């Protein structure tokens, strides 16, 4: 009977290749792998058709799915290869880490009793171990890497282990190295680590009791010394005694290389998952194949890359490795050579290489045979039926809602969004009708699996779950604007069961709402609902009554709601006023518009209306042709008089001009009124108002600002010159030169006829 400990690094291709060779030589009759025992039943899927890494074991609490743990695997993960070997050779395989049923439960209870640090020091002293510095405890391999001439432990481990395949000899060396490191550190401080190692030792004891003769244990290299020296079973049982426990479930879920990268926040991640995949697939001459892949990628994007570049980069990488006294070129040397030879020290091609090759983001696949919840099965079935592939990278899709298949895709995305699963994000549609087209950018995140599990409490199908979630949100909505926005989401998601309860809430809230801001904020979502109703085939007739009441109440409240406001409140109401105006005009209802313009006119003529809002009211009335331009000019002249405070005039201008300077560009009367008012301001007042004026004019489009600047720079001299040129006598001799051309344009008229017509 023998126990063989294989200390590995999670997601290491060199460890995985060496481990396969060691298992082939050992021919074990039992394999224990570091991982959650709750997922033992799922190991049979490894190596079976349909389950393709990267993927992850998801262990979660059914009663609270947000409390979950992922165990990711890549194809080159040693644990994955060990499990696959066991399934292919009919060897019993088990996961031997401390169950998450204990770990999650312990995290919920009160913290353990404080650890007696002095007792630890005394224990280490009795064992002849000096206290290790904090830096060594935080990263025990860093000192070894520094002694070997490496700047960090990851690069050192990559050169020492991942680019080799030494079989059993490699693991003997790892065990010896980790034993020395742990002797220097002493007793582990983390009680969780002690419990984990105690449980692993108990799993080894259980395998020995079963009569297993060749037991292979695949675990993190850090744990090897603790498993090699077996204390008494009683001491381990004492560590595990009395641990709380809760019921958990487990399943497989797709994972991505982006989430496998260390930069994503994954503690056991690697710096370049794509590079490790390349090392796993290209055992021989990995560097040369890597440079070839780089050249292929650059040529695909119309960048210079030739065989000569590959040769020079390979030579440079090997030279750098020799200068650094390293046995072969690693990723650092290759990337430096690529920067110098392929990229000409430019960062942009390097960003492309990092995204497409270093990360090489892709999403794994999980077969439908893996047990999961009904809601997840329903979502997967819809994704498959609508041919919406789940991908880790971004994908843009353009949906035409007049096509039934596209409409179903839109409904699916909106229903997922109702559940808080933002698989797709809406993009701005340009050059197409916003009514019939939706542009989405899709990007699936592994965390969506947890959110789907959480959403299972709302229903077993996507429609039922989204509808129940919408009703719950409607019951908790704080105001009318939130309710109407939710109604828009409900319509887009085609959740018909939620319409009636939500309509009741909207009617009750609208009857009790008197605040002008809430009334205006509630209008745009409802108008969008009415607009989308005809496109999506949803009956929205009941909403018409609600809109009638909201428009009527908004028109009554408008003249009084814009009076006596502070500047901050007026700024907030301005955005709501603009949105409400657009919504009312979008309805194209003459009665609505007449009542709305009457309310705006009353507000614009009232001296108590805040100047910012009065200016916007005048702008709306002028743009829509309800007031002539002369009336707007009269109001502007009144505001620019000395009887009005300069700050009020500036605020009126901001409301009138904000967002567009077209009126100012093309109307001389407005221009001269503002020009004269600015010139009349005292220097101190002008300096005080300058930030406000700059904010107003800064909202104009660049061509408008340029035209206004040219007009201002011309000044009075330009105006006089223009007037003189207009009154200058016409030179008939020069005019006659263009008459033949004009005659041709008018279709054959003779020059004398043109002259006579002129």
């Amino acid at each position: 009977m023998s126990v063989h400990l294989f200390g590995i690094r999670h997601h290491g291709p060199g460890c995985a290749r060496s481990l396969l060779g060691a298992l082939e030589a050992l021919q074990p009759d039992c394999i224990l792998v570091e991982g959650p025992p709750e997922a033992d039943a799922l190991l049979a899927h490894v190596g079976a058709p349909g389950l393709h890494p990267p993927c992850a074991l998801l262990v979660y609490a059914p009663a609270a799915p947000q409390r979950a743990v992922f165990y990711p695997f890549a194809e080159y993960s040693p644990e994955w290869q060990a499990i696959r070997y066991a399934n292919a050779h009919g060897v019993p395989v088990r996961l031997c880490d401390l169950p998450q049923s204990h770990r999650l439960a312990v995290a919920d209870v009160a913290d353990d009793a404080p650890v007696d640090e002095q007792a630890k020091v005394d224990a280490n002293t009795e064992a002849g171990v000096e206290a290790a510095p904090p830096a060594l405890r935080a990263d025990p391999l860093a000192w070894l890497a520094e002694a070997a001439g490496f700047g960090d432990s990851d690069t050192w481990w990559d050169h020492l282990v991942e680019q080799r395949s030494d079989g059993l000899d490699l693991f003997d060396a790892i065990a010896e190295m980790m034993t020395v490191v742990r002797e220097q550190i002493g007793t582990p401080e983390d009680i969780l680590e002690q419990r984990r190692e105690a449980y692993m030792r108990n799993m080894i004891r259980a395998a020995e009791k079963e009569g297993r003769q060749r037991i292979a244990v695949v675990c993190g290299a850090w744990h090897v010394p603790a498993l090699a020296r077996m204390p008494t079973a009683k001491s381990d049982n004492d560590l595990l005694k009395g641990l709380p426990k809760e019921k958990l479930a487990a399943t497989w879920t797709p994972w991505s290389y982006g989430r496998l990268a260390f930069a994503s926040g994954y503690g056991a991640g690697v710096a370049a998952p794509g590079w490790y995949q390349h090392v796993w697939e290209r055992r021989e001459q990995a560097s040369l194949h890597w440079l070839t892949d780089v050249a292929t990628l650059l040529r695909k994007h119309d960048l210079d890359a030739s065989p000569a570049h590959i040769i020079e980069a390979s030579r440079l990488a090997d030279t750098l490795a020799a200068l650094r006294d390293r046995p072969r070129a690693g990723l650092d040397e290759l990337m430096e050579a690529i920067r110098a030879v392929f990229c000409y020290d430019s960062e942009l091609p390097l960003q492309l290489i990092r995204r497409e090759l270093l990360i090489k983001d892709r999403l794994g696949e999980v077969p439908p045979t893996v047990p999961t919840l009904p809601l997840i099965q329903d979502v997967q079935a819809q994704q498959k039926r609508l041919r919406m592939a789940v991908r880790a990278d971004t994908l843009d899709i353009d949906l035409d809602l007049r096509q039934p298949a596209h409409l179903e895709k839109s409904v699916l995305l909106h229903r997922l969004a109702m559940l808080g699963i933002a698989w797709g994000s809406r993009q701005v549609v340009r050059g197409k009708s916003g009514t019939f087209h939706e542009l989405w950018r899709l990007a699936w995140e592994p965390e969506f699996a947890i959110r789907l599990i959480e959403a299972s409490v709302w229903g077993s199908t996507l429609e039922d779950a989204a509808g129940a979630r919408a009703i719950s949100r409607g019951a908790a909505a704080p105001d009318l604007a939130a309710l109407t926005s939710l109604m828009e989401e409900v319509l887009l998601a085609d959740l018909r069961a939620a319409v009636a309860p939500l309509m009741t809430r909207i009617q009750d809230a609208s009857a009790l709402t008197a605040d002008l801001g809430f009334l205006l904020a509630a209008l745009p979502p409802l108008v969008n609902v009415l607009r989308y109703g005809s496109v999506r085939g949803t009956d929205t007739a009941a909403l018409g009554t609600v809109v009638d009441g909201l428009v009527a109440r908004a028109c009554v409240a408008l003249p009084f709601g814009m009076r006596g406001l502070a500047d901050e409140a007026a700024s907030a109401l301005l955005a709501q006023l603009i949105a409400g105006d657009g919504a009312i005009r979008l309805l194209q209802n003459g009665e609505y518009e007449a009542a709305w313009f009457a309310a705006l006119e009353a507000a614009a003529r009232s001296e108590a209306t805040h100047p910012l809002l009065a200016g916007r009211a005048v702008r709306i009335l002028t743009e829509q042709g309800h007031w002539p331009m002369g009336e707007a000019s009269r109001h502007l002249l009144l505001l620019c008089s000395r009887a009005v405070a300069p700050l009020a005039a500036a605020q009126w201008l901001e409301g009138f001009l904000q967002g567009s300077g077209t009126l100012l560009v093309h109307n001389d009367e407005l221009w001269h009124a503002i020009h004269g008012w600015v010139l009349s301001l005292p220097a101190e007042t002008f300096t005080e108002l300058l930030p406000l004026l700059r904010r107003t004019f800064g909202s104009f489009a660049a061509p408008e600002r340029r035209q206004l600047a040219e007009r201002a720079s011309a000044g009075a001299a330009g105006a006089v010159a223009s007037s003189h040129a207009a009154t200058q006598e016409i030179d008939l001799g020069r005019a006659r030169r263009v008459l033949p051309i004009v005659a041709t344009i008018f279709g054959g008229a003779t020059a004398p006829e043109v002259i006579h017509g002129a």
Side-chain angles (χ1 to χ4, degrees), residues 29-34 39-41 43-44 46 79 82-87 90-96 203 212 216 218:
D29 57 0
C30 178
I31 299 179
L32 303 179
V33 178
E34 181 182 334
D40 276 344
L43 299 184
V46 176
E79 301 94 330
I83 298 169
R84 187 170 182 176
Y85 170 89
N87 290 339
V91 179
V93 57
R94 303 167 194 164
L95 299 173
C96 64
M203 291 292 291
R212 305 296 179 182
V218 181

PDB file of all heavy atoms in Angstrom, residues 29-34 39-41 43-44 46 79 82-87 90-96 203 212 216 218:
ATOM      1  N   ASP A  29      -4.850   2.829  -8.449  1.00  0.00           N
ATOM      2  CA  ASP A  29      -6.170   2.211  -8.338  1.00  0.00           C
ATOM      3  C   ASP A  29      -7.159   3.114  -7.604  1.00  0.00           C
ATOM      4  O   ASP A  29      -8.304   2.735  -7.359  1.00  0.00           O
ATOM      5  CB  ASP A  29      -6.090   0.857  -7.633  1.00  0.00           C
ATOM      6  CG  ASP A  29      -5.468   0.963  -6.247  1.00  0.00           C
ATOM      7  OD1 ASP A  29      -5.096   2.083  -5.842  1.00  0.00           O
ATOM      8  OD2 ASP A  29      -5.356  -0.079  -5.575  1.00  0.00           O
ATOM      9  N   CYS A  30      -6.722   4.333  -7.259  1.00  0.00           N
ATOM     10  CA  CYS A  30      -7.604   5.334  -6.655  1.00  0.00           C
ATOM     11  C   CYS A  30      -6.940   6.696  -6.819  1.00  0.00           C
ATOM     12  O   CYS A  30      -5.732   6.835  -6.599  1.00  0.00           O
ATOM     13  CB  CYS A  30      -7.843   5.030  -5.169  1.00  0.00           C
ATOM     14  SG  CYS A  30      -8.883   6.262  -4.334  1.00  0.00           S
ATOM     15  N   ILE A  31      -7.738   7.691  -7.214  1.00  0.00           N
ATOM     16  CA  ILE A  31      -7.210   9.053  -7.403  1.00  0.00           C
ATOM     17  C   ILE A  31      -8.044  10.007  -6.558  1.00  0.00           C
ATOM     18  O   ILE A  31      -9.273  10.030  -6.660  1.00  0.00           O
ATOM     19  CB  ILE A  31      -7.243   9.479  -8.885  1.00  0.00           C
ATOM     20  CG1 ILE A  31      -6.376   8.541  -9.731  1.00  0.00           C
ATOM     21  CG2 ILE A  31      -6.768  10.918  -9.038  1.00  0.00           C
ATOM     22  CD1 ILE A  31      -6.385   8.880 -11.208  1.00  0.00           C
ATOM     23  N   LEU A  32      -7.364  10.774  -5.727  1.00  0.00           N
ATOM     24  CA  LEU A  32      -8.002  11.822  -4.932  1.00  0.00           C
ATOM     25  C   LEU A  32      -7.550  13.174  -5.480  1.00  0.00           C
ATOM     26  O   LEU A  32      -6.354  13.409  -5.647  1.00  0.00           O
ATOM     27  CB  LEU A  32      -7.614  11.697  -3.459  1.00  0.00           C
ATOM     28  CG  LEU A  32      -7.926  10.359  -2.769  1.00  0.00           C
ATOM     29  CD1 LEU A  32      -7.448  10.390  -1.320  1.00  0.00           C
ATOM     30  CD2 LEU A  32      -9.405  10.046  -2.845  1.00  0.00           C
ATOM     31  N   VAL A  33      -8.506  14.059  -5.758  1.00  0.00           N
ATOM     32  CA  VAL A  33      -8.217  15.353  -6.374  1.00  0.00           C
ATOM     33  C   VAL A  33      -8.735  16.457  -5.459  1.00  0.00           C
ATOM     34  O   VAL A  33      -9.862  16.368  -4.936  1.00  0.00           O
ATOM     35  CB  VAL A  33      -8.874  15.466  -7.768  1.00  0.00           C
ATOM     36  CG1 VAL A  33      -8.604  16.836  -8.378  1.00  0.00           C
ATOM     37  CG2 VAL A  33      -8.355  14.366  -8.680  1.00  0.00           C
ATOM     38  N   GLU A  34      -7.946  17.469  -5.258  1.00  0.00           N
ATOM     39  CA  GLU A  34      -8.371  18.603  -4.445  1.00  0.00           C
ATOM     40  C   GLU A  34      -9.585  19.266  -5.090  1.00  0.00           C
ATOM     41  O   GLU A  34      -9.525  19.729  -6.232  1.00  0.00           O
ATOM     42  CB  GLU A  34      -7.222  19.611  -4.302  1.00  0.00           C
ATOM     43  CG  GLU A  34      -7.567  20.813  -3.440  1.00  0.00           C
ATOM     44  CD  GLU A  34      -6.422  21.813  -3.364  1.00  0.00           C
ATOM     45  OE1 GLU A  34      -5.253  21.397  -3.539  1.00  0.00           O
ATOM     46  OE2 GLU A  34      -6.704  22.998  -3.134  1.00  0.00           O
ATOM     47  N   ALA A  39     -19.406  17.689  -5.400  1.00  0.00           N
ATOM     48  CA  ALA A  39     -19.489  17.552  -6.854  1.00  0.00           C
ATOM     49  C   ALA A  39     -18.985  16.199  -7.341  1.00  0.00           C
ATOM     50  O   ALA A  39     -18.750  16.030  -8.548  1.00  0.00           O
ATOM     51  CB  ALA A  39     -18.686  18.673  -7.520  1.00  0.00           C
ATOM     52  N   ASP A  40     -18.828  15.223  -6.465  1.00  0.00           N
ATOM     53  CA  ASP A  40     -18.317  13.913  -6.886  1.00  0.00           C
ATOM     54  C   ASP A  40     -19.157  13.303  -8.009  1.00  0.00           C
ATOM     55  O   ASP A  40     -18.625  12.699  -8.942  1.00  0.00           O
ATOM     56  CB  ASP A  40     -18.287  12.956  -5.689  1.00  0.00           C
ATOM     57  CG  ASP A  40     -17.013  13.119  -4.863  1.00  0.00           C
ATOM     58  OD1 ASP A  40     -16.053  13.733  -5.378  1.00  0.00           O
ATOM     59  OD2 ASP A  40     -16.984  12.662  -3.709  1.00  0.00           O
ATOM     60  N   ALA A  41     -20.470  13.449  -7.920  1.00  0.00           N
ATOM     61  CA  ALA A  41     -21.346  12.835  -8.921  1.00  0.00           C
ATOM     62  C   ALA A  41     -21.185  13.461 -10.295  1.00  0.00           C
ATOM     63  O   ALA A  41     -21.569  12.852 -11.306  1.00  0.00           O
ATOM     64  CB  ALA A  41     -22.801  12.936  -8.465  1.00  0.00           C
ATOM     65  N   LEU A  43     -18.293  14.300 -11.695  1.00  0.00           N
ATOM     66  CA  LEU A  43     -17.006  13.995 -12.307  1.00  0.00           C
ATOM     67  C   LEU A  43     -17.147  13.045 -13.495  1.00  0.00           C
ATOM     68  O   LEU A  43     -16.279  13.011 -14.368  1.00  0.00           O
ATOM     69  CB  LEU A  43     -16.056  13.397 -11.272  1.00  0.00           C
ATOM     70  CG  LEU A  43     -15.717  14.285 -10.064  1.00  0.00           C
ATOM     71  CD1 LEU A  43     -14.695  13.601  -9.183  1.00  0.00           C
ATOM     72  CD2 LEU A  43     -15.217  15.646 -10.520  1.00  0.00           C
ATOM     73  N   ALA A  44     -18.223  12.272 -13.524  1.00  0.00           N
ATOM     74  CA  ALA A  44     -18.410  11.325 -14.626  1.00  0.00           C
ATOM     75  C   ALA A  44     -18.569  12.023 -15.962  1.00  0.00           C
ATOM     76  O   ALA A  44     -18.350  11.422 -17.025  1.00  0.00           O
ATOM     77  CB  ALA A  44     -19.630  10.444 -14.348  1.00  0.00           C
ATOM     78  N   VAL A  46     -16.701  14.461 -17.064  1.00  0.00           N
ATOM     79  CA  VAL A  46     -15.397  14.894 -17.588  1.00  0.00           C
ATOM     80  C   VAL A  46     -14.911  13.872 -18.613  1.00  0.00           C
ATOM     81  O   VAL A  46     -14.817  12.675 -18.328  1.00  0.00           O
ATOM     82  CB  VAL A  46     -14.376  15.040 -16.441  1.00  0.00           C
ATOM     83  CG1 VAL A  46     -13.003  15.399 -17.007  1.00  0.00           C
ATOM     84  CG2 VAL A  46     -14.841  16.088 -15.446  1.00  0.00           C
ATOM     85  N   GLU A  79      -5.842  19.033 -12.478  1.00  0.00           N
ATOM     86  CA  GLU A  79      -6.981  18.324 -11.902  1.00  0.00           C
ATOM     87  C   GLU A  79      -7.898  17.772 -12.993  1.00  0.00           C
ATOM     88  O   GLU A  79      -8.407  16.652 -12.884  1.00  0.00           O
ATOM     89  CB  GLU A  79      -7.781  19.256 -10.980  1.00  0.00           C
ATOM     90  CG  GLU A  79      -6.967  19.834  -9.836  1.00  0.00           C
ATOM     91  CD  GLU A  79      -6.392  21.194 -10.162  1.00  0.00           C
ATOM     92  OE1 GLU A  79      -6.117  21.459 -11.350  1.00  0.00           O
ATOM     93  OE2 GLU A  79      -6.204  21.984  -9.237  1.00  0.00           O
ATOM     94  N   ALA A  82      -6.296  14.758 -14.527  1.00  0.00           N
ATOM     95  CA  ALA A  82      -6.328  13.609 -13.622  1.00  0.00           C
ATOM     96  C   ALA A  82      -7.706  12.960 -13.614  1.00  0.00           C
ATOM     97  O   ALA A  82      -7.833  11.721 -13.660  1.00  0.00           O
ATOM     98  CB  ALA A  82      -5.944  14.056 -12.212  1.00  0.00           C
ATOM     99  N   ILE A  83      -8.756  13.775 -13.574  1.00  0.00           N
ATOM    100  CA  ILE A  83     -10.119  13.230 -13.584  1.00  0.00           C
ATOM    101  C   ILE A  83     -10.407  12.553 -14.916  1.00  0.00           C
ATOM    102  O   ILE A  83     -11.011  11.469 -14.969  1.00  0.00           O
ATOM    103  CB  ILE A  83     -11.138  14.356 -13.302  1.00  0.00           C
ATOM    104  CG1 ILE A  83     -10.897  14.956 -11.915  1.00  0.00           C
ATOM    105  CG2 ILE A  83     -12.561  13.836 -13.419  1.00  0.00           C
ATOM    106  CD1 ILE A  83     -11.677  16.230 -11.656  1.00  0.00           C
ATOM    107  N   ARG A  84      -9.950  13.175 -15.992  1.00  0.00           N
ATOM    108  CA  ARG A  84     -10.173  12.571 -17.313  1.00  0.00           C
ATOM    109  C   ARG A  84      -9.432  11.236 -17.434  1.00  0.00           C
ATOM    110  O   ARG A  84      -9.965  10.273 -18.006  1.00  0.00           O
ATOM    111  CB  ARG A  84      -9.702  13.551 -18.387  1.00  0.00           C
ATOM    112  CG  ARG A  84     -10.036  13.113 -19.790  1.00  0.00           C
ATOM    113  CD  ARG A  84      -9.758  14.221 -20.781  1.00  0.00           C
ATOM    114  NE  ARG A  84     -10.118  13.802 -22.128  1.00  0.00           N
ATOM    115  CZ  ARG A  84     -10.051  14.587 -23.199  1.00  0.00           C
ATOM    116  NH1 ARG A  84      -9.641  15.843 -23.057  1.00  0.00           N
ATOM    117  NH2 ARG A  84     -10.392  14.142 -24.384  1.00  0.00           N
ATOM    118  N   TYR A  85      -8.223  11.170 -16.893  1.00  0.00           N
ATOM    119  CA  TYR A  85      -7.472   9.910 -16.911  1.00  0.00           C
ATOM    120  C   TYR A  85      -8.233   8.838 -16.131  1.00  0.00           C
ATOM    121  O   TYR A  85      -8.345   7.687 -16.566  1.00  0.00           O
ATOM    122  CB  TYR A  85      -6.081  10.126 -16.307  1.00  0.00           C
ATOM    123  CG  TYR A  85      -5.316   8.845 -16.067  1.00  0.00           C
ATOM    124  CD1 TYR A  85      -4.508   8.308 -17.056  1.00  0.00           C
ATOM    125  CD2 TYR A  85      -5.414   8.165 -14.844  1.00  0.00           C
ATOM    126  CE1 TYR A  85      -3.809   7.121 -16.835  1.00  0.00           C
ATOM    127  CE2 TYR A  85      -4.725   6.985 -14.621  1.00  0.00           C
ATOM    128  CZ  TYR A  85      -3.925   6.464 -15.627  1.00  0.00           C
ATOM    129  OH  TYR A  85      -3.250   5.281 -15.419  1.00  0.00           O
ATOM    130  N   ALA A  86      -8.751   9.204 -14.959  1.00  0.00           N
ATOM    131  CA  ALA A  86      -9.463   8.236 -14.132  1.00  0.00           C
ATOM    132  C   ALA A  86     -10.698   7.700 -14.855  1.00  0.00           C
ATOM    133  O   ALA A  86     -10.955   6.487 -14.861  1.00  0.00           O
ATOM    134  CB  ALA A  86      -9.862   8.880 -12.810  1.00  0.00           C
ATOM    135  N   ASN A  87     -11.462   8.579 -15.498  1.00  0.00           N
ATOM    136  CA  ASN A  87     -12.662   8.131 -16.201  1.00  0.00           C
ATOM    137  C   ASN A  87     -12.308   7.253 -17.399  1.00  0.00           C
ATOM    138  O   ASN A  87     -13.017   6.284 -17.704  1.00  0.00           O
ATOM    139  CB  ASN A  87     -13.483   9.338 -16.657  1.00  0.00           C
ATOM    140  CG  ASN A  87     -14.127  10.078 -15.496  1.00  0.00           C
ATOM    141  OD1 ASN A  87     -14.304   9.514 -14.414  1.00  0.00           O
ATOM    142  ND2 ASN A  87     -14.487  11.332 -15.710  1.00  0.00           N
ATOM    143  N   GLY A  90     -11.158   3.802 -15.944  1.00  0.00           N
ATOM    144  CA  GLY A  90     -12.020   3.133 -14.979  1.00  0.00           C
ATOM    145  C   GLY A  90     -11.495   3.150 -13.559  1.00  0.00           C
ATOM    146  O   GLY A  90     -11.781   2.238 -12.775  1.00  0.00           O
ATOM    147  N   VAL A  91     -10.740   4.180 -13.207  1.00  0.00           N
ATOM    148  CA  VAL A  91     -10.168   4.291 -11.863  1.00  0.00           C
ATOM    149  C   VAL A  91     -11.096   5.150 -11.001  1.00  0.00           C
ATOM    150  O   VAL A  91     -11.514   6.231 -11.431  1.00  0.00           O
ATOM    151  CB  VAL A  91      -8.762   4.922 -11.920  1.00  0.00           C
ATOM    152  CG1 VAL A  91      -8.173   5.076 -10.526  1.00  0.00           C
ATOM    153  CG2 VAL A  91      -7.846   4.085 -12.800  1.00  0.00           C
ATOM    154  N   PRO A  92     -11.440   4.709  -9.789  1.00  0.00           N
ATOM    155  CA  PRO A  92     -12.270   5.543  -8.909  1.00  0.00           C
ATOM    156  C   PRO A  92     -11.586   6.880  -8.627  1.00  0.00           C
ATOM    157  O   PRO A  92     -10.388   6.933  -8.338  1.00  0.00           O
ATOM    158  CB  PRO A  92     -12.393   4.709  -7.630  1.00  0.00           C
ATOM    159  CG  PRO A  92     -12.102   3.307  -8.059  1.00  0.00           C
ATOM    160  CD  PRO A  92     -11.117   3.408  -9.178  1.00  0.00           C
ATOM    161  N   VAL A  93     -12.350   7.945  -8.724  1.00  0.00           N
ATOM    162  CA  VAL A  93     -11.814   9.280  -8.488  1.00  0.00           C
ATOM    163  C   VAL A  93     -12.767  10.023  -7.562  1.00  0.00           C
ATOM    164  O   VAL A  93     -13.990   9.939  -7.691  1.00  0.00           O
ATOM    165  CB  VAL A  93     -11.620  10.053  -9.818  1.00  0.00           C
ATOM    166  CG1 VAL A  93     -12.909  10.157 -10.603  1.00  0.00           C
ATOM    167  CG2 VAL A  93     -11.030  11.428  -9.558  1.00  0.00           C
ATOM    168  N   ARG A  94     -12.200  10.759  -6.601  1.00  0.00           N
ATOM    169  CA  ARG A  94     -12.994  11.503  -5.632  1.00  0.00           C
ATOM    170  C   ARG A  94     -12.360  12.874  -5.411  1.00  0.00           C
ATOM    171  O   ARG A  94     -11.148  13.042  -5.577  1.00  0.00           O
ATOM    172  CB  ARG A  94     -13.067  10.758  -4.295  1.00  0.00           C
ATOM    173  CG  ARG A  94     -13.628   9.349  -4.367  1.00  0.00           C
ATOM    174  CD  ARG A  94     -13.367   8.613  -3.076  1.00  0.00           C
ATOM    175  NE  ARG A  94     -13.590   7.174  -3.225  1.00  0.00           N
ATOM    176  CZ  ARG A  94     -13.145   6.268  -2.372  1.00  0.00           C
ATOM    177  NH1 ARG A  94     -12.434   6.650  -1.319  1.00  0.00           N
ATOM    178  NH2 ARG A  94     -13.385   4.986  -2.566  1.00  0.00           N
ATOM    179  N   LEU A  95     -13.185  13.817  -4.993  1.00  0.00           N
ATOM    180  CA  LEU A  95     -12.706  15.131  -4.593  1.00  0.00           C
ATOM    181  C   LEU A  95     -12.509  15.123  -3.082  1.00  0.00           C
ATOM    182  O   LEU A  95     -13.384  14.663  -2.341  1.00  0.00           O
ATOM    183  CB  LEU A  95     -13.700  16.207  -5.014  1.00  0.00           C
ATOM    184  CG  LEU A  95     -13.922  16.294  -6.531  1.00  0.00           C
ATOM    185  CD1 LEU A  95     -15.045  17.257  -6.863  1.00  0.00           C
ATOM    186  CD2 LEU A  95     -12.646  16.706  -7.251  1.00  0.00           C
ATOM    187  N   CYS A  96     -11.375  15.636  -2.640  1.00  0.00           N
ATOM    188  CA  CYS A  96     -10.963  15.387  -1.253  1.00  0.00           C
ATOM    189  C   CYS A  96     -10.760  16.636  -0.418  1.00  0.00           C
ATOM    190  O   CYS A  96     -10.234  16.561   0.691  1.00  0.00           O
ATOM    191  CB  CYS A  96      -9.674  14.558  -1.241  1.00  0.00           C
ATOM    192  SG  CYS A  96      -8.247  15.394  -1.982  1.00  0.00           S
ATOM    193  N   MET A 203      -9.402  11.663   4.101  1.00  0.00           N
ATOM    194  CA  MET A 203      -9.784  11.019   2.838  1.00  0.00           C
ATOM    195  C   MET A 203      -8.740   9.983   2.425  1.00  0.00           C
ATOM    196  O   MET A 203      -9.075   8.921   1.879  1.00  0.00           O
ATOM    197  CB  MET A 203      -9.952  12.079   1.750  1.00  0.00           C
ATOM    198  CG  MET A 203     -11.150  12.997   1.945  1.00  0.00           C
ATOM    199  SD  MET A 203     -12.724  12.139   1.757  1.00  0.00           S
ATOM    200  CE  MET A 203     -12.703  11.775   0.000  1.00  0.00           C
ATOM    201  N   ARG A 212      -7.063   0.155  -0.992  1.00  0.00           N
ATOM    202  CA  ARG A 212      -6.396   0.677  -2.191  1.00  0.00           C
ATOM    203  C   ARG A 212      -4.884   0.565  -2.016  1.00  0.00           C
ATOM    204  O   ARG A 212      -4.325   0.925  -0.964  1.00  0.00           O
ATOM    205  CB  ARG A 212      -6.791   2.130  -2.439  1.00  0.00           C
ATOM    206  CG  ARG A 212      -8.296   2.363  -2.524  1.00  0.00           C
ATOM    207  CD  ARG A 212      -8.915   1.662  -3.699  1.00  0.00           C
ATOM    208  NE  ARG A 212     -10.363   1.884  -3.760  1.00  0.00           N
ATOM    209  CZ  ARG A 212     -11.148   1.347  -4.679  1.00  0.00           C
ATOM    210  NH1 ARG A 212     -10.624   0.536  -5.605  1.00  0.00           N
ATOM    211  NH2 ARG A 212     -12.443   1.600  -4.671  1.00  0.00           N
ATOM    212  N   ALA A 216      -3.201   7.862  -5.623  1.00  0.00           N
ATOM    213  CA  ALA A 216      -2.626   9.100  -6.172  1.00  0.00           C
ATOM    214  C   ALA A 216      -3.421  10.284  -5.632  1.00  0.00           C
ATOM    215  O   ALA A 216      -4.649  10.316  -5.737  1.00  0.00           O
ATOM    216  CB  ALA A 216      -2.671   9.083  -7.696  1.00  0.00           C
ATOM    217  N   VAL A 218      -3.776  14.326  -5.947  1.00  0.00           N
ATOM    218  CA  VAL A 218      -3.448  15.510  -6.747  1.00  0.00           C
ATOM    219  C   VAL A 218      -3.928  16.728  -5.969  1.00  0.00           C
ATOM    220  O   VAL A 218      -5.143  16.921  -5.777  1.00  0.00           O
ATOM    221  CB  VAL A 218      -4.118  15.450  -8.134  1.00  0.00           C
ATOM    222  CG1 VAL A 218      -3.746  16.686  -8.943  1.00  0.00           C
ATOM    223  CG2 VAL A 218      -3.707  14.173  -8.861  1.00  0.00           C
TER     224      VAL A 218
END
